Amino acid sequence: MADITRRLGWRHLRGAPTAHIRHHRGGKLLHDGPGLSFWFRALTAAISEVPVDDRELAMTFHARTSDFQDVAVQATVTYRISDPALAAARLDFSIDPDTGAWRTAPLEQLGTLLTETAQQHALDVLSRTPLSAALVDGVTAVRERIAQGLAGEPRLPATGIEVVAVRVVALRPEPEVERALRTPAREQIQQEADRATYERRAVAVERERAIAENELASQIELARREEQLVDQRGTNARREAEEHAAADAVRAEAEAARTVRLAEAEATRSVRLARAEAEGAREVGAARAQAQAAWLRVHAEVDVATLHALTGTRLAENLPQIDSVTVSPDVLTGLLARLGAR
């Protein structure tokens, strides 16, 4: 929409770079071009504003396939007005000199033209295509057919319209049909998912079995090695016992030999000691006999009185020591009686 300013009966228009302005006065073209700015009088001016930028037109329409199934087509057409003068001559792009707004709705007329033309060509291609094929390859076929149909439509160049691009967003069947069509695919996907789950479980079971077999093999090998270890320990114990027994036997033999040697030495020493004691006893006996014989020879040569004196002396030597003597009357009487009897 043009920007119009009012000053004392005059109007000033300032257009956008993407808007083509055509100013007529008295049937004569005074201004023609995009992005213009000028003064004019509202009572004598006829101004048209034609947009020259690219426009996006979204459209949605229904069609029927060859198997009588309804589908919804969502498409977008990009167009622009390549000939503003021709478009202004064919369509009403005039604006209000006071507000700058279009007096009519020219872009809606262009949208209706493009939508009906695109719908016509889309219906033509879908009416000969079954639903399954339309859902698979229908987007490309419909887009190409709409692009070709709009390019060959004579009304568009005659109106100054140029189609830049055509895009078909989607082809959708009715919700019930769409759910019915999704069911086999969902079932197949579910089956593939279940198969993948089963395969994964089978692989997991196989791996667990392999792990269990490895653990069992490890346990068997460990048991075999433990058995070997027990056998080796038994062999070592027997060998150690044999060595200890042999050492004890050698030790016992050595002890017995030493005991025998000690006993023999002790016996020899005892014999020698007995012989020495016997020899000493014989010598002592001989000495005593010689002494006794000498004593007897000496006493044999002495007279009786001398012997009595010696006897008394020896008897006095052998008597115990008497510190004091107590003579009772009875003893004294007896002793005197004996002396008187003599």
Side-chain angles (χ1 to χ4, degrees):
M1 186 176 66
D3 184 11
I4 297 178
T5 305
R6 293 181 293 178
R7 291 290 187 275
L8 301 175
W10 289 85
R11 305 289 186 271
H12 182 270
L13 182 143
R14 182 176 60 192
T18 57
H20 189 96
I21 304 298
R22 293 175 61 85
H23 176 209
H24 292 80
R25 187 179 62 188
K28 295 181 179 180
L29 184 61
L30 300 181
H31 299 91
D32 187 15
L36 297 180
S37 179
F38 54 88
W39 290 92
F40 65 93
R41 293 184 64 86
L43 297 177
T44 60
I47 302 174
S48 298
E49 182 184 18
V50 182
V52 294
D53 57 340
D54 291 349
R55 296 274 173 160
E56 299 285 342
L57 176 62
M59 57 185 70
T60 300
F61 52 86
H62 291 269
R64 179 169 293 184
T65 61
S66 61
D67 49 358
F68 305 102
Q69 299 295 327
D70 291 336
V71 292
V73 181
Q74 296 178 359
T76 301
V77 176
T78 303
Y79 70 96
R80 65 169 173 262
I81 299 176
S82 58
D83 191 345
L86 184 58
R90 299 294 300 270
L91 298 174
D92 186 8
F93 284 95
S94 63
I95 62 175
D96 189 329
D98 292 328
T99 62
W102 281 314
R103 296 178 182 274
T104 60
L107 295 182
E108 293 182 3
Q109 298 178 7
L110 286 178
T112 302
L113 174 62
L114 292 172
T115 300
E116 292 178 353
T117 304
Q119 183 176 0
Q120 178 182 356
H121 294 288
L123 293 175
D124 183 57
V125 68
L126 288 175
S127 62
R128 298 192 301 269
T129 305
L131 178 62
S132 59
L135 295 177
V136 175
D137 300 324
V139 172
T140 303
V142 171
R143 184 184 69 248
E144 293 178 352
R145 184 58 181 272
I146 291 176
Q148 294 175 0
L150 293 177
E153 177 63 33
R155 291 184 59 188
L156 298 180
T159 313
I161 306 300
E162 178 184 358
V163 177
V164 178
V166 176
R167 298 188 304 277
V168 176
V169 180
L171 289 176
R172 294 183 178 276
E174 293 182 349
E176 295 80 4
V177 178
E178 186 174 6
R179 284 194 294 269
L181 293 175
R182 289 178 179 177
T183 300
R186 289 181 177 178
E187 292 294 334
Q188 184 178 359
I189 293 173
Q190 186 64 38
Q191 292 177 2
E192 292 178 356
D194 294 340
R195 183 168 57 254
T197 302
Y198 297 150
E199 292 177 355
R200 185 170 62 255
R201 291 180 179 176
V203 171
V205 170
E206 182 66 22
R207 291 180 178 176
E208 291 179 357
R209 185 184 63 80
I211 293 172
E213 291 180 354
N214 292 334
E215 292 179 353
L216 181 60
S218 300
Q219 294 178 359
I220 294 174
E221 181 65 19
L222 181 60
R224 185 180 64 79
R225 293 186 179 181
E226 289 181 353
E227 182 180 2
Q228 293 179 356
L229 180 60
V230 171
D231 294 340
Q232 186 63 37
R233 287 179 176 175
T235 302
N236 295 338
R238 288 193 299 272
R239 184 178 300 172
E240 185 177 0
E242 292 175 356
E243 291 179 356
H244 288 170
D248 292 341
V250 172
R251 190 181 301 109
E253 291 178 359
E255 186 69 22
R258 189 176 66 84
T259 303
V260 171
R261 288 194 300 270
L262 291 175
E264 291 177 353
E266 185 67 23
T268 303
R269 189 176 63 82
S270 298
V271 171
R272 289 179 181 177
L273 183 59
R275 290 178 181 177
E277 290 178 352
E279 186 66 25
R282 284 194 299 272
E283 292 179 356
V284 170
R288 287 180 178 178
Q290 291 177 2
Q292 188 69 28
W295 186 79
L296 289 176
R297 284 193 303 270
V298 171
H299 285 78
E301 295 177 356
V302 178
D303 55 2
V304 176
T306 303
L307 291 174
H308 287 168
L310 291 173
T311 302
T313 301
R314 293 294 301 272
L315 179 62
E317 291 176 356
N318 293 325
L319 288 175
Q321 184 179 356
I322 300 174
D323 294 333
S324 62
V325 177
T326 303
V327 179
S328 65
D330 295 333
V331 175
L332 182 58
T333 300
L335 181 60
L336 292 178
R338 288 180 182 178
L339 288 176
R342 290 181 183 177

